Amino acid sequence: PSLPLPPTAALLASFAREYARVIKKPMNLREISHRLEKNGPGFSRIYKAPREMFDDVCLVWRNARTFNPKGHWICEQVDVLEEAFESMWLSSQIDVRWASANNLPYPEELVDAKKKKKIRAGGVGRWRRKMEAELQLATAEVQATVMSRLEGKWLCNPRNFGYITIKGNEGIYAGGVGRLTEMKVLRDECITALWSRSDIDGARGTLRFGLSVDGRSWKGNWTTYNGKPFGRWDATRVDDDGEGEEAEEQEEEEEEKEHEEE
């Protein structure tokens, strides 16, 4: 349980002894940050791969729930933090990028290996089941079908992204300075990709979006390179006859009229 304020020296000592008795493998976010700062071979001098860092973060959540009673405000805060962390981790696709860069098995294989170890330790958490489901790729046939529907010219929203032209598993946008690469279709038919901008130093991250049933639009979310949510990224298909552009211009005119009336 959390300490009352202000705690006395004797109470702190008693709390430390009790925590050490209950928690056999302590971990905290400050220590994880410290380990990440130690640059060296691999992911860092301490972590040789992103998944090792992921396991330490999950250890923080697990320890908090073990030491504090169910329903405690600390446990409630852990639920919020855990959900945010999982969302950013999955959006960043760091496992996929790490595996690709280092010629390693794709994440589902890494997850399976970790899963066996986790079962021996006492079960698999919902976060791992969620990760396995979301990172599994669609069949080759579905991949080909979805990617063929994506090919062509699209008008982006945010508007300053301009148009994006997709061919194969890559896309060019923002007048040629923006690129989408490593586009993949997941089992739920969502598409993931890496984005980057050559005109902005360090501007890169991930994009995850879903194609509409009629193939005329897609809606998604993009993140920065460290998994921080950045906002919506939608697009509308532009036909050779400019139909998409006309619809967009009409929408802009309607918005301008609404602003004028206000």
Side-chain angles (χ1 to χ4, degrees), residues 42 61 84 114 129 133 138-139 145 198 247:
W61 314 144
K114 286 286 185 179
R129 291 194 297 271
T139 63
T145 300
S198 60

Side-chain angles (χ1 to χ4, degrees), residues 140-212:
E141 182 180 359
V142 172
Q143 291 258 4
T145 300
V146 174
M147 293 308 299
S148 66
R149 294 178 67 199
L150 275 176
E151 289 204 352
K153 187 177 180 181
W154 302 77
L155 180 61
C156 295
N157 184 20
R159 306 286 174 80
N160 60 347
F161 284 10
Y163 296 96
I164 180 168
T165 301
I166 297 176
K167 185 175 183 180
N169 68 341
E170 294 189 353
I172 304 295
Y173 67 98
V177 298
R179 290 176 62 85
L180 287 185
T181 58
E182 297 186 32
M183 299 179 72
K184 296 181 177 67
V185 183
L186 303 182
R187 190 173 61 178
D188 60 2
E189 295 193 15
C190 280
I191 300 98
T192 65
L194 304 182
W195 66 266
S196 62
R197 292 280 296 261
S198 60
D199 60 329
I200 305 174
D201 186 37
R204 63 189 187 281
T206 61
L207 168 66
R208 183 186 177 106
F209 62 96
L211 188 63
S212 64

Side-chain angles (χ1 to χ4, degrees), residues 81-189:
L81 291 171
E82 182 183 43
E83 184 176 352
F85 174 71
E86 290 176 5
S87 177
M88 288 188 290
W89 180 277
L90 291 169
S91 297
S92 72
Q93 294 284 289
I94 190 171
D95 264 358
V96 174
R97 292 186 285 136
W98 177 263
S100 177
N102 292 275
N103 297 317
L104 297 174
Y106 270 99
E108 50 264 36
E109 297 180 36
L110 294 175
V111 167
D112 287 341
K114 286 286 185 179
K115 179 179 177 181
K116 294 175 183 177
K117 179 179 178 182
K118 195 71 180 179
I119 290 175
R120 289 196 295 271
V124 181
R126 68 178 176 82
W127 51 265
R128 195 174 297 283
R129 291 194 297 271
K130 178 181 177 182
M131 179 173 294
E132 289 180 35
E134 295 208 26
L135 287 181
Q136 287 184 1
L137 299 178
T139 63
E141 182 180 359
V142 172
Q143 291 258 4
T145 300
V146 174
M147 293 308 299
S148 66
R149 294 178 67 199
L150 275 176
E151 289 204 352
K153 187 177 180 181
W154 302 77
L155 180 61
C156 295
N157 184 20
R159 306 286 174 80
N160 60 347
F161 284 10
Y163 296 96
I164 180 168
T165 301
I166 297 176
K167 185 175 183 180
N169 68 341
E170 294 189 353
I172 304 295
Y173 67 98
V177 298
R179 290 176 62 85
L180 287 185
T181 58
E182 297 186 32
M183 299 179 72
K184 296 181 177 67
V185 183
L186 303 182
R187 190 173 61 178
D188 60 2
E189 295 193 15

